[in-house]
Amino acid sequence: MSQVLRSEHSLTPTTTNILPLVHSELDKHQQTLVLNEQALDWQKQVLGIEHPETLSTIKNLAHVYPELGRHHDALVLNEELLKLHKSTMGNEHPDTLAVMHNLAQVYLELGRLNDALLLNEEVLELRKRVLGNEHPDTLAGMNNLAHVYSELGRYHDALFLNEKVVELSKSVQGNDHPGTLASMSHLAQVYSMLGRLHEALILNEEVLKLSQNALGNEHPHTIITMNDIAHVHMNLGHHQEALVLSKEALDLSERTLGSEHPKILPLMNALASIYCELGQHRDALELNEKALELSNSVWGNEHPQTLMTKNNLAHVYSELGMHHDALKINEEVLELSKRLLGNEHPRTLIAMNNLAHVYSIGNRLHEALALYENVLKISKRVLGVEHPDTLIVMNNMVHVYSELDRYRDALAMIEEVLELEKRVLGSDHPITVRSSKLVERLRTEQAGIETL
């Protein structure tokens, strides 16, 4: 079976303030945008571009643009802000380093992973030299770099750095400091990526207890950790535990923020994903459609969060046999992704993979193969041959080759995938084991064909 790449938005801790109306979050950002743009025009004319108040306003604008999905505008402002900080404060001033950090985050959102990597590495080295190895900003810089390693599929590098951060953070800030809890959560995610699921579960459960005691049951980090544990349970085959925890996380978030607050969207998508994995496709459909309606209302049709929610809804349509509906959404998401994010953004590649999947299950095999080949070419160049998303595309091509009776091509591809998975994930990872079994099956089938 070919694999769909589901879109998952990062569950970033937020404040617990309840906003009474769904539109208040968007209205707040838009109002902030208008006020800061007006202030900036005046400040540039009266105070000058390098005045501290002008720089502060530019920083505010650079912060609000990503909230509205305007990452390209955020990029322009952060690059301008970085030049101004370097010229007025110097390359190593903490405020300059903070701007560099923010710019690296924008690079990440825009799919410019190598740019994000290089800038995060530079920020970390500067913070070590200027602030010291144990300064909270340095630890945050290590966390950010480890996250980029994970996005690049460099899980062993992420593991090494995350373990170091956790050790330092515990000794400097204490076990129950929010920064320590965040670093422990990141380490648990890397364990999960590497197939070390029991270690991930144990660490996440430790984080949950610490978070409940230090922050409370309804704190966003506590709720996020519950959702992380649900995800690990799902991967371990503990389906009922995963479902109960995911529901509880969403219920707590709705009670804290309100049932129509945009920050609950990732939790809705996570629960819908579990429903889908359990074969409860109607429940998944209802929740995904509700999430899409909320995302459209709050962020608009072209916001990255909305595109991710559409992608997940299309997957549910496919599982329900509603292939025409899935095809329509996948084509729309791909068109918007190309226009808004660019042809080589990782999320655009996800959209291309998922459209190829719909072609495949609709028996449009030659169209599916052509699209997969295009995705693979870009993915190898942008993400690298060892990136998990690249390996998923290669796995999907194995399925199409087999359907087209191109068994030699299928066998050659899955053998290449298996060697890469052994190197990246290890021989005992469930995904590697599955590929190994597929290699044996295809070799047996190929031998049978050659004896005919």
Side-chain angles (χ1 to χ4, degrees):
M1 284 295 293
S2 59
Q3 303 172 66
V4 169
L5 288 166
R6 290 184 64 84
S7 300
E8 297 180 1
H9 196 273
S10 60
L11 301 175
T12 306
T14 59
T15 63
T16 56
N17 293 333
I18 298 175
L19 298 179
L21 297 174
V22 61
H23 298 292
S24 60
E25 180 88 354
L26 181 60
D27 289 342
K28 181 179 70 175
H29 292 314
Q30 288 177 332
Q31 185 179 24
T32 301
L33 177 66
V34 171
L35 291 174
N36 277 283
E37 285 179 336
Q38 291 173 346
L40 183 59
D41 289 338
W42 180 85
Q43 288 167 343
K44 282 182 176 180
Q45 294 176 21
V46 177
L47 303 176
I49 189 66
E50 295 184 353
H51 191 279
E53 289 186 21
T54 308
L55 295 178
S56 177
T57 301
I58 295 175
K59 190 180 297 183
N60 291 339
L61 277 173
H63 175 74
V64 77
Y65 278 142
E67 295 293 335
L68 294 167
R70 294 174 57 176
H71 298 294
H72 290 285
D73 292 321
L75 173 66
V76 172
L77 269 190
N78 273 298
E79 288 179 335
E80 178 186 3
L81 196 59
L82 181 56
K83 290 179 183 177
L84 291 168
H85 271 73
K86 284 183 174 181
S87 66
T88 58
M89 300 178 182
N91 291 355
E92 299 186 355
H93 191 280
D95 288 354
T96 304
L97 299 182
V99 175
M100 292 171 70
H101 161 263
N102 293 338
L103 178 57
Q105 292 303 109
V106 175
Y107 283 151
L108 199 59
E109 285 294 330
L110 289 170
R112 294 171 55 175
L113 301 182
N114 288 319
D115 291 326
L117 174 66
L118 292 173
L119 194 52
N120 271 303
E121 287 176 335
E122 183 182 356
V123 170
L124 179 57
E125 287 307 310
L126 287 169
R127 281 178 168 169
K128 283 181 177 179
R129 185 165 72 245
V130 175
L131 303 173
N133 290 344
E134 298 184 352
H135 191 280
D137 287 353
T138 305
L139 298 180
M142 293 171 70
N143 251 327
N144 294 336
L145 180 56
H147 176 64
V148 176
Y149 284 149
S150 291
E151 288 294 310
L152 286 165
R154 293 171 55 178
Y155 297 129
H156 293 287
D157 292 325
L159 176 66
F160 175 79
L161 196 52
N162 273 130
E163 287 178 334
K164 191 173 181 180
V165 175
V166 169
E167 182 182 355
L168 283 170
S169 192
K170 282 182 175 180
S171 66
V172 174
Q173 300 179 126
N175 287 3
D176 57 0
H177 187 277
T180 305
L181 297 178
S183 64
M184 292 170 71
S185 292
H186 294 158
L187 178 57
Q189 289 170 7
V190 176
Y191 282 153
S192 185
M193 291 293 187
L194 287 169
R196 295 166 60 172
L197 298 176
H198 291 287
E199 292 170 271
L201 181 61
I202 291 169
L203 186 54
N204 269 317
E205 288 177 337
E206 180 185 354
V207 172
L208 180 60
K209 289 179 182 178
L210 288 168
S211 187
Q212 286 173 330
N213 291 334
L215 305 174
N217 290 338
E218 296 183 351
H219 190 277
H221 188 271
T222 305
I223 295 172
I224 291 165
T225 305
M226 293 172 64
N227 190 72
D228 289 343
I229 294 174
H231 180 71
V232 177
H233 274 308
M234 198 66 197
N235 288 334
L236 284 167
H238 306 160
H239 297 156
Q240 193 58 37
E241 292 92 333
L243 185 60
V244 169
L245 265 179
S246 186
K247 283 183 175 179
E248 186 179 353
L250 180 58
D251 288 343
L252 279 170
S253 189
E254 287 180 335
R255 185 163 70 243
T256 304
L257 299 172
S259 61
E260 295 185 326
H261 193 283
K263 296 299 183 182
I264 72 168
L265 282 168
L267 295 167
M268 294 172 72
N269 282 323
L271 178 56
S273 177
I274 290 176
Y275 281 143
C276 205
E277 290 293 323
L278 294 176
Q280 297 175 219
H281 296 121
R282 290 293 170 186
D283 293 324
L285 177 64
E286 180 181 350
L287 194 53
N288 273 135
E289 288 180 334
K290 181 181 176 183
L292 180 58
E293 181 181 358
L294 175 58
S295 191
N296 269 324
S297 176
V298 175
W299 300 123
N301 186 52
E302 298 185 352
H303 191 279
Q305 177 66 64
T306 305
L307 295 184
M308 288 188 282
T309 304
K310 284 183 178 181
N311 174 74
N312 294 341
L313 178 59
H315 174 60
V316 178
Y317 281 151
S318 290
E319 292 296 317
L320 286 168
M322 301 166 63
H323 302 311
H324 177 74
D325 296 302
L327 178 64
K328 183 178 178 182
I329 290 181
N330 278 132
E331 288 176 335
E332 179 190 0
V333 170
L334 178 55
E335 180 184 354
L336 287 169
S337 296
K338 284 182 175 180
R339 178 163 58 83
L340 298 171
L341 304 173
N343 291 348
E344 298 187 351
H345 192 284
R347 291 178 196 160
T348 304
L349 300 181
I350 288 174
M352 292 171 71
N353 175 84
N354 293 348
L355 179 57
H357 170 75
V358 175
Y359 285 156
S360 176
I361 60 179
N363 207 33
R364 295 166 61 175
L365 297 175
H366 292 287
E367 292 171 89
L369 182 59
L371 191 51
Y372 278 137
E373 288 173 339
N374 190 22
V375 179
L376 181 59
K377 181 180 178 181
I378 300 172
S379 189
K380 282 182 174 180
R381 185 174 70 253
V382 174
L383 302 175
V385 70
E386 296 183 354
H387 192 279
D389 288 359
T390 305
L391 298 178
I392 285 176
V393 175
M394 294 172 73
N395 262 302
N396 290 345
M397 289 178 67
V398 171
H399 169 73
V400 176
Y401 280 144
S402 297
E403 290 295 311
L404 290 169
D405 296 333
R406 293 175 55 177
Y407 298 112
R408 287 182 183 275
D409 292 324
L411 181 57
M413 180 71 79
I414 193 59
E415 286 176 336
E416 181 184 356
V417 168
L418 178 59
E419 290 307 309
L420 290 167
E421 287 173 346
K422 284 179 179 178
R423 188 157 70 239
V424 175
L425 303 174
S427 298
D428 296 329
H429 194 285
I431 292 175
T432 310
V433 172
R434 184 181 62 194
S435 294
S436 182
K437 291 178 180 178
L438 181 56
V439 166
E440 292 304 315
R441 181 172 68 80
L442 286 174
R443 284 175 178 168
T444 301
E445 290 177 356
Q446 182 64 28
I449 292 170
E450 290 175 352
T451 58
L452 292 177

